[in-house]
C-alpha cells in the first residue's frame, strides 16, 4: 500500500502506478488537506475529511457545479477554479457567497449542513483539483 | 379510432353566444385556430399537435432558417414562443425578459424586464429556467422567478397588475408556465429541494385577487379535499388523508411542489397537474406514504376542489417528482371510447387513466431500463418496489447502486406530443441511472434541504447492453402501454416535442439539433444545428398564410447541470470510452430563437 499526499496526475497513477517515495518528494506533504492511499492497481481510498467533503459537496454544491465538481452550464468547474484560489479565499467565498462574471453563488455560513464542513469541502475539492482523486464516490480508508 | 379533443374545442367555441365572451372561450377559440400557438401545449389538452400541414413528411427536408433572434440571456431556455395573429411573445430565463415581436418585420414591439433580487438565483435548484407565458383578456401573463405573477398589456407591455405568489427567502421560486382557465389564472410553486410546502393557486385575471389556493399536504380544508367526495382510484380518500401519512409536523416542510404543466378539460371543467417530491430526499426520516406528494390531481377549475387524486410514488425514495404534463385525449381502449389522461412520470412508468373518474387503466415502463419497481399493482395503484433499489430499506448512509431511472427521471419537464392521426404519443426521454445515498439533514428556511448524494450515468452501465446513449425519442401507444419505435440520442432529450398534421414530429437535442422525423416510422427527415443546445419546446404557427416552426435554443436546465459535464470518470464497464464527450464539446450557452420555413415557392 502506497500513501500519497501528492500532485501525481490521476492518469499517471492509473497507468504506471507509483512509489510512495517519488510522490512524497514531489509534494510538500504538510500543505495538502487530504490523505489518499492507493494500491498497486491504482485503487485509492481517502481519509475521513475528504470523504465527508465529497458527501457535503454532492448534497449541496453539485446542483450548480455538477457531479464531481467538473462544472456545468450554470457554475464553473471547481476542479479548475480551486487552482486559482487559496484556502482563505475559499473560506470567504463559500461562507459569504460570491458573485462573479458567471453568476451568483449563495452564502453558506448559515447552513448547518454545510458550515460545519468547510474544511472537509476544501479537502475534497483540492483532491479533485490536484488530479489525485477520480470522479465518483471515494472509498474511505479503513 | 381516435377523436381529438381539439375538434370538440372548435365546436364549443362556435357555440358561444356573441357578447358572452369570457376568457375561457377566448383561449378556446385562440387555440382552435391552428394559425396561432396560443398556449404552451398548443391546446388546453396539452397535445402539442397542430393541424398545419404545409410542412410535411414530403418537403420537410427543404426546411430553411427564416429568421433568428437573440434573447441576450445565457441560461437554460425552456418553454416556447406563443403566437397570436401578427405577434410572437417569447420569454427568457432569469431575469425573465419578455419580448413581443412583430412578425411582419421581426421588430420588437415591446419588451419587459422585471427587476428581481439576484438572491432568487441561488434558491433555484436546477438553473434559472422559465417555461413560458400565458395569454388571455388582452394580457400576457408571466410567472417570474421571484414568484411575482405579472399581467402585462399585450399591446404595450405595460404592467396591469402583479401579485406575490411566495417568498424566495423561504426557498419559494417559480419556473412554471401559468394557464388561464375561465376568468382565472392558475399557477404553482417550486422549491421541493428547500422544504417548500407545495400548492396550486388561482388568481382572477381581472385584478390578480386570489380566487382559491390548494396545498398538496396538510389538513383537508387547506388541500381543498372533501374526504367523502374526493377519490383515490374510485374510493373516497377519507378524513386527514395527508396528515395520517406524515410523522408529526413534517407535512409543513413536506414538498409536493407544483412546478410542472397544467392542462384543462372544458367539458368537465377539471384542471390537471402533478405534485413533486416530498421534503428531504432522505426517505428514512419521513415514514409513511407522504401524501399527497408525487400525485396526479384533478381539481374543479372554479372552486379548486379536488375531484380525484392518484399517488404514483408513495413514500418517494428516489426524487421521482410527479409534475410531468397530463395529456388529455379520447381514444379507444378494449373497444370502448374513453376520455383519457396520459402521463409519462419521472418514475419511468407511462400511466393512462380515465380523466373523469381517475381510474387507472394502463401503467407500463416507457423506458425498459426502469428497475426500481417491477410493475404497478393495478388494484392498489402501488408500485411493487424492488428491495435492492429501495434507498429506504438499504438505509441511511448506504449507497444504493444502479437504480433506473436516475432522479431526473425517464422524462422530466420536457413535454410530449400526441398525434390524433397516428394515435401515438411522441416522448422525449432520458436514459440515465444513478447511485443514491440518503443521510440526515437539518431543515433551515431558505437553505437546500436535500439529504442525499447522487451520481448519474448512462443506463447502459446498468443494463449491460453496451449502449451509451443517455436519451431516446420514442413513439408510445398509451392504450396498450407499448413503445412503437425508439430513436437513441447521445444526451437526454430535454426539448418539448411537436406533432403536426403534416405527419412530421419535431424535437430538439442537447447538442442543439432541431430534428424532424416521420410520425409513423421515426425516420429522420431533417436536422439543423441551432446556435445552442435545445431544452425549449418546438411550436408552429402561420404568418401571412405561411407555416413556420420556432424553437428557443439555450443549453442549461437540470440537463445542462446534471449531465453537461460529461462522464469521463464513469465509463467503467461501458466499453465505449470517449463516447461521453462533454456536452461542452458540442454546444455553448446562449439564448436564440430560430424560426424555420420552407423556401418561397416550394
Amino acid at each position: 500500500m502506497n500513501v500519497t499526499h501528492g500532485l501525481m496526475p490521476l492518469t499517471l497513477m492509473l497507468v504506471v502506478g507509483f512509489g510512495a517515495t517519488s510522490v512524497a518528494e514531489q509534494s510538500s506533504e504538510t500543505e495538502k488537506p487530504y490523505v489518499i492511499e492507493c494500491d498497486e492497481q491504482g485503487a485509492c481510498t481517502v481519509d475521513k475529511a475528504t470523504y465527508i467533503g465529497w458527501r457535503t459537496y454532492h448534497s449541496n454544491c453539485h446542483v450548480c457545479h455538477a457531479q464531481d465538481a467538473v462544472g456545468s452550464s450554470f457554475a464553473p468547474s471547481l476542479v479548475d477554479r480551486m487552482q486559482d484560489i487559496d484556502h482563505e479565499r475559499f473560506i470567504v467565498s463559500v461562507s459569504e457567497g460570491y458573485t462573479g462574471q458567471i453568476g451568483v453563488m449563495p452564502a453558506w455560513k448559515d447552513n448547518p449542513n454545510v458550515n460545519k464542513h468547510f474544511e472537509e469541502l476544501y479537502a475534497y475539492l483540492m483532491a479533485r483539483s490536484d488530479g489525485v482523486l477520480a470522479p465518483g464516490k471515494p472509498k474511505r480508508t479503513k | 379510432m381516435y377523436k381529438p379533443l381539439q375538434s370538440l374545442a372548435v365546436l364549443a367555441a362556435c357555440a358561444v353566444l356573441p357578447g358572452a365572451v369570457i376568457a375561457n372561450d377566448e383561449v378556446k377559440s385562440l387555440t382552435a385556430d391552428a394559425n396561432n400557438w396560443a398556449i404552451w401545449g398548443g391546446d388546453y389538452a396539452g397535445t402539442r399537435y397542430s393541424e398545419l400541414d404545409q410542412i410535411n413528411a414530403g418537403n420537410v427536408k427543404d426546411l430553411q432558417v427564416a429568421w433568428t433572434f437573440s434573447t441576450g440571456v445565457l441560461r437554460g431556455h425552456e418553454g416556447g414562443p406563443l403566437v397570436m395573429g401578427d405577434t410572437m411573445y417569447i420569454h427568457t430565463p432569469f431575469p425573465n425578459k419578455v419580448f413581443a415581436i412583430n412578425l411582419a418585420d421581426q421588430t420588437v414591439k415591446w419588451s419587459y424586464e422585471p427587476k428581481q433580487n439576484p438572491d432568487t438565483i441561488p434558491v433555484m435548484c436546477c438553473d434559472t429556467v422559465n417555461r413560458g407565458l400565458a395569454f388571455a383578456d388582452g394580457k400576457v401573463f408571466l410567472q417570474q422567478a421571484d414568484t411575482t405573477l405579472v399581467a402585462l398589456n399585450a399591446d404595450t407591455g405595460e404592467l396591469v397588475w402583479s401579485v406575490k405568489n411566495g417568498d424566495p427567502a423561504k426557498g419559494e421560486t417559480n419556473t412554471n408556465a401559468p394557464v388561464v382557465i375561465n376568468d382565472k389564472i392558475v399557477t404553482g410553486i417550486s422549491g421541493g429541494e428547500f422544504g417548500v410546502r407545495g400548492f396550486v393557486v388561482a388568481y382572477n385575471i381581472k385584478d390578480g385577487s386570489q380566487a382559491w389556493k390548494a396545498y398538496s399536504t396538510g389538513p383537508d380544508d387547506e388541500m381543498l379535499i372533501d374526504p367523502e367526495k374526493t377519490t383515490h382510484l374510485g374510493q373516497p380518500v377519507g378524513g386527514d388523508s395527508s396528515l395520517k401519512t406524515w410523522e408529526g409536523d413534517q407535512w409543513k416542510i413536506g414538498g409536493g411542489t407544483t412546478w410542472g404543466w397544467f392542462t384543462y378539460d372544458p367539458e368537465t371543467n377539471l384542471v390537471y397537474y402533478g405534485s413533486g417530491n416530498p421534503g428531504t430526499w432522505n426517505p428514512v426520516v419521513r415514514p409513511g406514504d407522504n401524501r399527497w406528494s408525487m400525485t396526479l390531481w384533478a381539481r374543479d377549475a372554479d372552486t379548486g376542489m379536488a375531484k380525484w387524486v392518484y399517488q404514483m410514488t408513495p413514500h418517494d425514495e428516489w426524487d421521482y417528482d410527479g409534475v410531468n404534463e397530463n395529456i388529455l385525449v379520447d381514444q379507444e381502449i378494449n373497444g370502448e371510447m374513453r376520455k383519457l389522461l396520459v402521463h409519462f412520470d419521472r418514475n419511468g412508468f407511462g400511466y393512462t387513466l380515465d380523466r373523469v373518474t381517475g381510474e387507472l387503466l394502463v401503467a407500463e415502463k416507457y423506458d425498459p431500463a426502469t428497475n426500481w419497481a417491477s410493475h404497478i399493482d393495478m388494484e392498489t395503484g402501488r408500485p411493487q418496489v424492488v428491495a435492492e433499489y429501495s434507498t429506504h430499506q438499504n438505509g441511511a448512509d448506504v449507497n444504493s447502486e444502479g437504480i433506473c431511472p436516475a432522479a431526473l427521471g425517464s422524462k422530466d419537464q420536457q413535454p410530449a406530443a400526441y398525434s390524433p392521426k397516428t394515435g401515438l404519443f411522441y416522448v422525449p426521454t432520458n436514459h440515465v441511472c444513478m447511485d443514491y445515498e440518503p443521510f440526515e439533514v437539518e431543515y433551515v428556511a431558505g437553505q437546500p434541504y436535500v439529504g442525499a448524494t447522487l451520481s448519474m450515468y448512462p443506463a447502459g452501465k446498468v443494463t449491460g447492453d453496451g449502449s451509451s446513449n443517455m436519451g431516446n425519442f420514442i413513439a408510445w401507444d398509451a392504450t396498450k402501454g407499448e413503445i412503437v419505435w425508439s430513436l437513441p440520442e447521445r444526451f437526454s432529450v430535454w426539448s418539448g416535442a411537436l406533432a403536426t398534421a403534416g405527419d412530421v414530429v419535431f424535437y430538439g437535442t442537447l447538442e442543439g439539433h432541431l430534428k424532424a422525423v416521420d410520425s409513423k416510422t421515426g425516420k429522420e427527415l431533417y436536422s439543423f444545428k441551432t446556435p445552442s443546445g435545445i431544452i425549449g419546446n418546438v411550436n408552429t404557427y402561420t404568418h401571412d398564410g405561411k407555416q413556420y416552426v420556432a424553437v428557443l435554443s439555450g443549453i442549461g436546465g437540470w440537463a445542462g447541470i446534471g449531465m453537461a459535464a460529461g462522464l469521463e470518470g464513469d465509463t467503467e464497464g461501458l466499453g465505449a470510452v470517449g463516447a461521453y464527450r462533454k456536452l461542452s464539446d458540442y454546444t455553448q450557452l446562449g439564448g436564440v430563437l430560430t424560426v424555420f420555413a420552407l423556401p418561397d415557392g416550394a
Side-chain angles (χ1 to χ4, degrees):
Chain A
M1 167 92 37
N2 299 318
V3 178
T4 176
H5 301 247
L7 294 159
M8 201 73 153
L10 176 74
T11 43
L12 214 62
M13 292 203 313
L14 293 177
V15 176
V16 299
F18 52 88
T21 45
S22 64
V23 171
E25 276 158 20
Q26 282 178 25
S27 63
S28 42
E29 282 183 41
T30 46
E31 283 174 23
K32 296 298 167 198
Y34 48 81
V35 183
I36 298 178
E37 299 179 15
C38 300
D39 64 17
E40 277 72 23
Q41 277 76 49
C44 300
T45 61
V46 305
D47 63 315
K48 189 175 173 198
T50 307
Y51 179 81
I52 291 179
W54 166 82
R55 188 157 99 168
T56 309
Y57 177 88
H58 282 91
S59 53
N60 295 282
C61 320
H62 69 303
V63 295
C64 294
H65 294 284
Q67 213 163 295
D68 307 313
V70 292
S72 75
S73 61
F74 198 54
S77 157
L78 294 178
V79 174
D80 295 340
R81 185 70 72 97
M82 293 302 283
Q83 293 299 321
D84 303 335
I85 65 176
D86 59 13
H87 177 263
E88 193 193 335
R89 173 152 162 197
F90 175 83
I91 299 293
V92 172
S93 294
V94 174
S95 54
E96 303 301 324
Y98 182 84
T99 301
Q101 274 188 343
I102 298 170
V104 184
M105 168 150 87
W108 295 98
K109 59 175 186 283
D110 295 328
N111 186 323
N113 302 306
V114 180
N115 63 17
K116 295 187 202 91
H117 302 302
F118 286 170
E119 295 303 335
E120 287 98 333
L121 280 167
Y122 184 71
Y124 166 70
L125 291 170
M126 284 313 293
R128 285 288 296 134
S129 183
D130 287 346
V132 295
L133 181 61
K137 182 185 179 180
K139 290 200 174 50
R140 275 180 67 172
T141 307
K142 290 274 165 353
Chain B
M1 274 303 293
Y2 58 83
K3 198 171 165 200
L5 199 69
Q6 200 156 9
S7 60
L8 297 174
V10 179
L11 291 177
C14 298
V16 169
L17 297 169
V21 176
I22 54 170
N24 182 21
D25 303 307
E26 185 190 346
V27 175
K28 271 196 289 186
S29 53
L30 284 172
T31 54
D33 180 352
N35 297 304
N36 297 324
W37 191 275
I39 190 171
W40 71 268
D43 50 34
Y44 267 139
T47 61
R48 305 192 51 71
Y49 174 77
S50 170
E51 295 287 354
L52 300 180
D53 60 1
Q54 284 178 16
I55 299 170
N56 57 47
N59 61 21
V60 68
K61 64 178 186 333
D62 299 325
L63 219 54
Q64 292 178 347
V65 173
W67 55 280
T68 61
F69 181 86
S70 169
T71 68
V73 179
L74 291 180
R75 302 266 83 92
H77 283 59
E78 288 182 353
L82 297 188
V83 173
M84 256 78 51
D86 293 334
T87 310
M88 172 187 281
Y89 302 92
I90 57 172
H91 66 287
T92 76
F94 193 95
N96 304 134
K97 297 193 216 177
V98 179
F99 296 101
I101 299 174
N102 184 341
L103 290 175
D105 56 6
Q106 295 119 41
T107 54
V108 176
K109 265 177 143 172
W110 56 260
S111 66
Y112 169 80
E113 184 174 343
K115 298 223 176 345
Q116 300 186 76
N117 188 338
D119 288 348
T120 307
I121 299 172
V123 283
M124 303 190 72
C125 88
C126 320
D127 204 350
T128 50
V129 295
N130 185 288
R131 297 193 193 83
L133 307 167
F135 182 95
D137 195 29
K139 303 183 184 90
V140 171
F141 299 91
L142 165 72
Q143 176 64 78
Q144 294 173 190
D146 68 358
T147 77
T148 312
L149 175 67
V150 297
L152 307 174
N153 181 313
D155 293 327
T156 64
E158 271 162 334
L159 186 71
V160 182
W161 56 255
S162 77
V163 60
K164 275 296 256 184
N165 192 41
D167 180 3
K170 292 195 206 129
E172 290 174 329
T173 56
N174 273 107
T175 57
N176 66 285
V179 295
V180 174
I181 300 174
N182 303 330
D183 53 352
K184 302 181 183 67
I185 180 148
V186 176
T187 188
I189 197 79
S190 304
E193 278 55 62
F194 292 82
V196 167
R197 182 181 170 212
F199 59 83
V200 161
V201 55
Y203 299 102
N204 292 305
I205 56 173
K206 279 276 162 279
D207 56 7
S209 59
Q210 186 178 308
W212 53 261
K213 181 172 186 172
Y215 285 94
S216 304
T217 64
D220 296 337
D221 57 336
E222 293 180 20
M223 294 191 297
L224 300 186
I225 276 186
D226 181 332
E228 260 76 68
K229 293 204 186 111
T230 306
T231 60
H232 186 262
L233 299 182
Q235 302 301 316
V237 294
D240 292 337
S241 59
S242 169
L243 294 178
K244 281 196 284 208
T245 64
W246 292 92
E247 214 165 70
D249 276 354
Q250 283 182 338
W251 55 270
K252 289 184 177 162
I253 49 171
T257 54
T258 49
W259 53 273
W261 307 100
F262 298 92
T263 49
Y264 171 65
D265 182 352
E267 257 185 89
T268 51
N269 200 35
L270 293 174
V271 55
Y272 299 94
Y273 66 96
S275 52
N277 62 286
T280 170
W281 288 18
N282 176 0
V284 182
V285 299
R286 48 168 169 77
D289 277 355
N290 309 140
R291 290 178 171 177
W292 294 103
S293 65
M294 307 307 209
T295 297
L296 297 182
W297 295 81
R299 289 187 184 276
D300 183 280
D302 292 329
T303 64
M305 284 306 290
K307 169 117 194 275
W308 58 260
V309 287
Y310 168 53
Q311 189 179 41
M312 294 169 290
T313 312
H315 186 65
D316 173 62
E317 312 171 41
W318 313 268
D319 188 38
Y320 295 149
D321 286 42
V323 302
N324 292 352
E325 76 286 0
N326 300 295
I327 305 173
L328 314 180
V329 298
D330 295 356
Q331 277 187 294
E332 209 171 89
I333 290 195
N334 299 329
E336 201 191 327
M337 268 319 264
R338 304 288 300 249
K339 293 176 183 298
L340 303 178
L341 174 155
V342 176
H343 170 91
F344 300 92
D345 198 58
R346 283 256 284 270
N347 73 14
F349 288 87
Y351 295 87
T352 306
L353 291 90
D354 181 312
R355 71 173 174 273
V356 182
T357 63
E359 179 192 352
L360 183 60
L361 302 171
V362 178
E364 295 292 340
K365 296 174 181 179
Y366 66 95
D367 179 356
T370 303
N371 64 12
W372 67 280
S374 58
H375 64 280
I376 307 296
D377 182 314
M378 297 303 283
E379 288 301 308
T380 63
R382 294 183 81 91
Q384 184 59 50
V385 176
V386 175
E388 185 187 350
Y389 304 116
S390 165
T391 71
H392 187 157
Q393 290 177 45
N394 293 339
D397 301 318
V398 176
N399 197 26
S400 298
E401 294 178 15
I403 304 168
C404 307
L408 35 66
S410 296
K411 188 177 95 56
D412 199 83
Q413 61 79 33
Q414 59 274 35
Y418 169 76
S419 168
K421 284 181 80 174
T422 59
L424 297 178
F425 289 80
Y426 302 96
V427 196
T429 72
N430 309 322
H431 191 54
V432 179
C433 303
M434 69 174 170
D435 301 344
Y436 190 111
E437 179 173 340
F439 61 90
E440 197 89 29
V441 282
E442 275 178 64
Y443 172 76
V444 175
Q447 297 287 347
Y449 184 55
V450 179
T453 63
L454 319 201
S455 89
M456 302 194 261
Y457 37 77
K461 185 176 167 185
V462 174
T463 61
D465 62 2
S467 68
S468 60
N469 57 306
M470 292 186 277
N472 291 299
F473 188 75
I474 68 166
W476 174 259
D477 181 339
T479 63
K480 300 201 186 82
E482 283 172 8
I483 295 173
V484 177
W485 48 254
S486 178
L487 311 175
E489 285 287 349
R490 181 178 286 109
F491 297 107
S492 295
V493 189
W494 209 269
S495 122
L498 166 72
T500 73
D503 303 320
V504 202
V505 176
F506 295 89
Y507 67 100
T509 71
L510 285 192
E511 296 101 310
H513 290 104
L514 182 280
K515 292 191 176 181
V517 302
D518 184 294
S519 63
K520 290 184 203 77
T521 62
K523 182 171 179 260
E524 185 172 312
L525 303 173
Y526 177 76
S527 173
F528 177 85
K529 185 150 182 195
T530 64
S532 181
I534 300 178
I535 60 169
N537 304 339
V538 190
N539 295 349
T540 188
Y541 64 94
T542 68
H543 181 251
D544 268 349
K546 189 175 166 88
Q547 184 183 358
Y548 294 87
V549 170
V551 69
L552 284 165
S553 308
I555 191 68
W558 198 3
I561 293 170
M563 309 308 293
L567 296 150
E568 304 100 303
D570 252 316
T571 50
E572 35 174 309
L574 277 169
V577 181
Y580 307 103
R581 279 205 286 151
K582 293 188 209 165
L583 187 50
S584 59
D585 290 351
Y586 293 90
T587 195
Q588 294 291 316
L589 300 176
V592 175
L593 174 81
T594 308
V595 180
F596 298 85
L598 292 171
D600 279 330

